[in-house]
Amino acid sequence: MEYESLKSDLRGVAFTNPTPFSEDGGDVLHDELADQVESLREAGARLVIPCGNTGEYYSLSNDERAAVVETTADVMGGEGSVVAGLGGSLPTARGLLSRYEDAGADAVMVMHPVHTYIHRDGLRRYYEELIDATHLGVILYKRGDELDDDLIADLAGEENVVAVKYAVNDVKAFSKAVATTEADVVWSNGIAERFAPAFAVEGAEGFTTGVGNFAPEPALALMDALRAEDYERAREIRERFRPYEDLREEPGAESHLSAANNVPAVKFGMELAGRYGGPVRPPLVDLSDEDEERAREYYDHLVSGEY
């Protein structure tokens, strides 16, 4: 199977799409989801990731995941690529694979493992079984030490492994991983706009965005600047993103857990942009009133730039 079109889309901005819930959090709102994906497509998005961490993967049932991917693929209509988040136990993930294929996904992003006890050989078997079970493209998602350089290099040799989403804030380690992986995979910076220039210099051909869901123009403009190697312009745009991204990294009110603001800040940003964001589901919580006020200020700063 050919994966060049998918790889081409991965060499750009990957929009990690949130999942809109009803006000009581009970239902997925597919009309609102379709409107959001359509707005991204019209803005120039070529790759959307439903059911990732920004999409609250672990707060969704398998039925909800499959339906979200189907809605996303229907709206994209083949004008780009849809990469569906995939994780959990092997039976869960294998069951979703066939449903994602039927739903129209172009690839899956295998979520970073969250099992309490992991053996490296078992981790290899986990990835290999999923890679062998599908014809879809596979993106490896690295967020920690479990998925090490040697394992990435080995898995990247499989025909349908097309990319690595590298979501560890360590440019030195990223540079080494790129240098020691011989396979032809696309490297995507998985920690968004703040670090896109630095990772681009070291070999990242794309980056993921959450803020881009409500501010796609600056995200796409940043990608254009990186492709042109106009790093002064890239840093200028990056600075527009920094306050909002810093807010997302915070634990939120009365919490000590890192980045608890991440998803609710994206959903609130969508509300600021005149789109439906809606609530998050537990174990996440919505932004505090104080953080909402800061988000308004940072949003205005971001969208007031010229792109």
Side-chain angles (χ1 to χ4, degrees):
M1 184 173 179
E2 294 294 331
Y3 299 101
E4 290 311 309
S5 177
L6 172 60
K7 286 184 176 181
S8 177
D9 291 338
L10 284 160
R11 296 185 181 101
V13 183
F15 291 82
T16 56
N17 204 35
T19 303
F21 301 125
S22 57
E23 291 300 333
D24 65 359
D27 299 310
V28 175
L29 302 183
H30 285 271
D31 288 345
E32 286 76 1
L33 173 62
D35 287 345
Q36 168 63 4
V37 176
E38 177 65 16
S39 73
L40 294 177
R41 189 183 65 80
E42 290 180 350
R46 293 287 305 173
L47 191 141
V48 179
I49 303 178
C51 301
N53 285 329
T54 305
E56 297 180 71
Y57 179 87
Y58 292 102
S59 296
L60 300 171
S61 69
N62 270 7
D63 287 344
E64 288 174 327
R65 292 163 182 158
V68 164
V69 171
E70 182 173 14
T71 295
T72 304
D74 286 348
V75 175
M76 289 297 286
E79 296 184 29
S81 299
V82 175
V83 177
L86 181 75
S89 69
L90 270 174
T92 295
R94 277 197 296 254
L96 269 178
L97 272 173
S98 61
R99 298 183 70 173
Y100 282 168
E101 291 168 358
D102 293 342
D106 300 286
V108 293
M109 178 181 70
V110 182
M111 307 288 281
H112 194 79
V114 295
H115 200 292
T116 304
Y117 308 110
I118 297 175
H119 190 286
R120 189 176 183 278
D121 290 344
L123 186 61
R124 176 188 293 276
R125 288 177 56 193
Y126 178 85
Y127 280 103
E128 287 177 343
E129 290 197 30
L130 293 179
I131 291 166
D132 291 344
T134 185
H135 65 271
L136 297 177
V138 175
I139 290 88
L140 306 176
Y141 187 6
K142 176 178 172 65
R143 284 186 60 89
D145 294 336
E146 293 87 349
L147 188 58
D148 61 46
D149 290 356
D150 290 340
L151 186 52
I152 288 175
D154 290 346
L155 295 172
E158 299 293 333
E159 180 186 8
N160 59 330
V161 175
V162 294
V164 179
K165 177 180 175 180
Y166 200 98
V168 177
N169 188 9
D170 188 336
V171 175
K172 178 181 177 181
F174 174 73
S175 178
K176 179 183 177 185
V178 173
T180 56
T181 300
E182 296 181 0
D184 179 23
V185 292
V186 177
W187 293 88
S188 181
N189 157 34
I191 49 177
E193 288 86 356
R194 283 179 302 174
F195 307 101
F199 275 78
V201 169
E202 296 297 339
E205 297 179 277
F207 65 83
T208 60
T209 183
V211 172
N213 284 290
F214 56 84
E217 291 81 7
L220 293 167
L222 175 56
M223 189 72 246
D224 288 342
L226 294 174
R227 284 172 172 158
E229 299 184 3
D230 185 350
Y231 295 113
E232 181 177 356
R233 173 64 171 157
R235 288 192 296 270
E236 175 189 332
I237 298 171
R238 185 267 314 278
E239 288 307 304
R240 290 275 174 179
F241 278 97
R242 189 187 294 277
Y244 210 104
E245 282 292 290
D246 287 347
L247 172 65
R248 292 180 68 203
E249 196 173 46
E250 294 178 12
E254 300 181 8
S255 174
H256 66 282
L257 302 175
S258 175
N261 275 350
N262 191 300
V263 177
V266 170
K267 289 192 165 183
F268 186 69
M270 293 175 65
E271 299 280 351
L272 294 174
R275 313 207 66 83
Y276 183 85
V280 294
R281 282 178 173 173
L284 308 184
V285 301
D286 296 325
L287 293 183
S288 67
D289 291 343
E290 179 182 347
D291 285 344
E292 285 187 356
E293 287 303 312
R294 294 167 59 206
R296 287 188 178 93
E297 176 187 345
Y298 302 155
Y299 170 82
D300 289 342
H301 174 72
L302 174 60
V303 300
S304 64
E306 295 183 4
Y307 305 108

